[in-house]
Amino acid sequence: MNTQDALAARLQAMDELDQYDYFIDAALAASCPDIRRPEYQIRGCVSGLWVRAQLNGGRIEACADSDSLLIRGIAALICRIYTGMTTEEARCTPITFLDGLDLAGELDNTRRSGLRHMIQVIQSIA
Amino acid sequence: MSAVHFRRDFPFFQHHPETVFLDSAATAQKPQAVIDALTRFYAEDCAPVGRSAYKAARQADRRYRTARQTIARFLDADAAGIIFTKSATESANLLARAFARPKLCKGKNIVITAWEHNSNYLPWVEICRESGAELRVARPVSGPDFPVVLDTLTDEHTVLVSCTAASNVLGDTIPLAEISALCRQKQIPLALDGAQYVAHHPVDVQTLGCDFLFFSGHKVYGPTGSGVLYVRPELLDEMAPFLLGGGMICGDDPECYAPGAGRFEAGSPDTAAFIGLAAAIDYLNTLGRDAICIHEQALARQMQDGFRALSHRVQLLGQPAPDASVYTFVCPGAHPFDLACLLNGHGIAVRSGKMCAQHLFDALGQPLGGVRASLACYNTAEDLHRFFNGLEDALNRLQRK
């Protein structure tokens, strides 16, 4: 089981409030200083969302921030998945750990377009 | 009649017994009487209205006419001035296009307020842009300021004042009698957006003194797809048709538009929706508007006491009236989206964001929006108890950093 599958399995085993706690913990553990600048802002997200992705020795380093703790936590988990991958590996790695969660529907409605754009930014870093 | 009695008439709560529904300002749940009326129309009475002579069509015609009379009585209005639309939004657009647009040109103005929902904002932005007229936006700090700020902005070139009767964000009382008196004194037509008003207050357009009033059926326990624009009948002749098509001409002459409201209802109407809306009004009348008001006032007191008793710092936006049905709040360190998600985890349905009133949140200095809890007749004291417990827990989780 890869990291993302393990994360999905863990989340699926939790009730909704525990899932939120998990995302909040991930948000509080994440650090991405000095990122709230226009050049890092992701459009299409109702809450503010910023992402910075760069290559270091051919491997992705990504971090993100958001006004919303839940979105920041989810974005941090996405960054954790992609950090250390090559761009090619990232392009072959869709984000699936949110699939099936109750929150996924809400993210589809309002925010996931922002998260989708964030994923594209990370995958297309060259 | 008790809150439990109100609640048991709404099948939604049989399907979602654990849900605390505090999003009625977005859409209200439907009583069984409305669902029955819709089902009965489609199962037993389905026929076109205003077009055919056979028995079923005549029956549908009768029900449709009765619905218009019921809705007119609900507003204490002349049925001749009741135009059926699909929503409050369509009503506002119809008003803007049919009444105001032909009168607008450079030098004229429309006056609205910063408290408007986008449905009573964007139509005016657009027709003023098209015509070169000026859109003046009054910026009251609180409800009592409305007459003064409207007085400042209106003049002999004002074509219309269009103003919310009750905000979809703030629970403040808006002094409608004073606004109406001001408009009468200055001889300016007054339109009221009643979308958040009519479910919670008895309405009498004569006493309100408005020339236009619009609302959506689905916020007053009726079906989606039903909206109403009341027009003071003498003004109907000043309005040009907005939509053109079947059912809005005199007899067989396509060059002659039907008199009165009929010329504004081109196309086959959503007959079932208006029969359903009339059923919702009959239902409210059966419960008793006074009984509903007394129950909602008790909920409002509990709501305001509950906010005061919270252990966390929570800022209620505006100055909610003693009978407010809408409570929008913000909490330092807690994003509205996060709060709404965590409340959902407790089975509590609220709205988060800017509630289609971005300009109001800008004026309030709240760029992240807020969380709105809104009341309806089916809410109970237990609902609000659970809401405040859920809110305390949500804030504990979000503010543990």
Side-chain angles (χ1 to χ4, degrees):
Chain A
M1 189 181 282
N2 67 29
T3 311
Q4 191 168 195
D5 289 343
L7 174 58
R10 190 168 179 183
L11 288 168
Q12 294 283 358
M14 297 176 185
D15 70 19
E16 190 179 347
L17 287 170
D18 286 341
Q19 289 167 3
Y20 295 154
D21 278 342
Y22 189 86
F23 294 139
I24 293 167
D25 286 342
L28 296 177
S31 174
C32 197
D34 201 24
I35 193 181
R36 294 195 179 199
R37 299 183 196 175
E39 61 265 37
Y40 299 130
Q41 187 158 16
I42 300 294
R43 305 287 168 197
C45 193
V46 172
S47 62
L49 175 62
W50 296 263
V51 63
R52 182 169 57 212
Q54 57 197 27
L55 287 174
N56 187 351
R59 299 280 166 182
I60 291 171
E61 288 179 349
C63 70
D65 196 2
S66 173
D67 297 323
S68 153
L69 274 182
L70 294 179
I71 299 297
R72 190 198 303 172
I74 292 167
L77 292 168
I78 292 170
C79 289
R80 202 182 295 170
I81 287 164
Y82 286 128
T83 292
M85 287 186 181
T86 64
T87 307
E88 193 169 55
E89 288 167 341
R91 285 180 186 148
C92 298
T93 306
I95 293 298
T96 56
F97 70 89
L98 294 168
D99 294 351
L101 301 189
D102 193 44
L103 181 64
E106 173 59 18
L107 293 172
D108 269 335
N109 280 337
T110 55
R111 287 168 172 75
R112 211 173 194 177
S113 59
L115 290 173
R116 197 174 293 133
H117 187 188
M118 170 189 157
I119 292 164
Q120 287 167 356
V121 166
I122 296 172
Q123 289 175 328
S124 61
I125 193 78
Chain B
M1 214 173 280
S2 73
V4 174
H5 180 92
F6 296 150
R7 190 180 183 87
R8 74 182 181 207
D9 292 336
F10 291 80
F12 175 87
F13 298 107
Q14 290 156 28
H15 295 282
H16 303 274
E18 296 305 313
T19 295
V20 173
F21 192 79
L22 296 176
D23 198 21
S24 300
T27 198
Q29 297 302 330
K30 316 307 172 202
Q32 187 65 51
V34 169
I35 297 164
D36 288 345
L38 291 171
T39 305
R40 193 180 314 118
F41 176 78
Y42 284 120
E44 302 173 21
D45 300 328
C46 187
V49 291
R51 286 155 172 79
S52 306
Y54 53 86
K55 186 177 175 184
R58 289 180 185 178
Q59 170 76 349
D61 268 341
R62 270 195 298 277
R63 289 195 190 284
Y64 193 61
R65 270 200 306 275
T66 303
R68 195 183 301 272
Q69 286 158 0
T70 301
I71 292 162
R73 279 196 301 276
F74 178 64
L75 303 178
D76 200 14
D78 185 337
I82 299 295
I83 301 174
F84 287 161
T85 65
K86 72 177 170 61
S87 59
T89 296
E90 185 177 283
S91 298
N93 277 272
L94 171 60
L95 172 62
R97 289 282 157 196
F99 178 78
R101 179 65 183 89
K103 301 177 193 303
L104 288 177
C105 59
K106 198 166 170 23
K108 299 286 186 182
N109 66 75
I110 295 285
V111 176
I112 61 169
T113 81
W115 290 28
E116 307 308 323
H117 186 284
N118 281 340
S119 60
N120 194 32
Y121 173 64
L122 296 175
W124 307 113
V125 170
E126 187 58 25
I127 63 165
C128 286
R129 188 191 59 75
E130 280 175 19
S131 62
E134 183 185 358
L135 180 62
R136 297 179 177 175
V137 182
R139 301 188 186 284
V141 174
S142 64
D145 299 335
F146 270 67
V148 171
V149 293
L150 289 171
D151 189 21
T152 307
L153 291 184
T154 46
D155 58 26
E156 68 272 26
H157 302 297
T158 303
V159 166
L160 182 78
V161 170
S162 191
C163 170
T164 185
S167 163
N168 70 318
V169 176
L170 307 176
D172 296 46
T173 297
I174 295 173
L176 300 177
E178 291 175 49
I179 294 169
S180 163
L182 170 75
C183 290
R184 269 201 307 278
Q185 180 210 332
K186 291 190 159 184
Q187 297 185 310
I188 300 168
L190 170 65
L192 293 176
D193 174 355
Q196 298 295 337
Y197 186 85
V198 299
H200 306 288
H201 304 84
V203 183
D204 173 348
V205 292
Q206 316 304 327
T207 304
L208 282 173
C210 58
D211 300 285
F212 307 92
L213 182 141
F214 53 90
F215 66 95
S216 331
H218 71 102
K219 289 186 167 87
V220 65
Y221 310 104
T224 51
S226 60
V228 171
L229 172 62
Y230 158 75
V231 180
R232 188 159 57 81
E234 305 89 274
L235 294 176
L236 284 166
D237 288 341
E238 293 184 30
M239 295 170 62
F242 172 48
L243 292 172
L244 306 176
M248 48 88 68
I249 60 170
C250 309
D252 283 336
D253 181 359
E255 303 287 311
C256 169
Y257 297 145
R263 85 179 77 155
F264 303 104
E265 296 178 356
S268 294
D270 190 343
T271 312
F274 294 103
I275 290 171
L277 176 55
I281 290 166
D282 286 339
Y283 171 76
L284 289 179
N285 290 335
T286 303
L287 292 185
R289 299 304 305 268
D290 289 346
I292 294 171
C293 287
I294 290 167
H295 171 58
E296 290 188 357
Q297 282 166 10
L299 291 174
R301 279 194 297 276
Q302 189 186 348
M303 201 69 162
Q304 292 172 32
D305 289 346
F307 275 110
R308 275 192 289 272
L310 280 171
S311 63
H312 292 268
R313 206 175 127 225
V314 171
Q315 181 192 350
L316 265 176
L317 301 182
Q319 295 161 18
D323 60 350
S325 60
V326 165
Y327 298 83
T328 300
F329 58 95
V330 294
C331 310
H335 193 284
F337 171 74
D338 295 349
L339 270 175
C341 286
L342 284 156
L343 286 168
N344 179 63
H346 287 279
I348 297 158
V350 294
R351 173 84 177 266
S352 67
K354 295 185 180 175
M355 292 72 164
C356 300
Q358 283 77 3
H359 46 289
L360 175 54
F361 279 93
D362 290 347
L364 293 168
Q366 298 294 343
L368 302 181
V371 179
R372 182 183 69 192
S374 50
L375 303 172
C377 71
Y378 38 67
N379 289 124
T380 64
E382 173 61 18
D383 281 351
L384 301 193
H385 183 66
R386 282 187 54 202
F387 165 65
F388 285 112
N389 282 344
L391 185 55
E392 291 272 13
D393 179 74
L395 289 167
N396 285 337
R397 289 171 192 265
L398 287 168
Q399 296 180 340
R400 64 189 138 109
K401 56 191 172 187

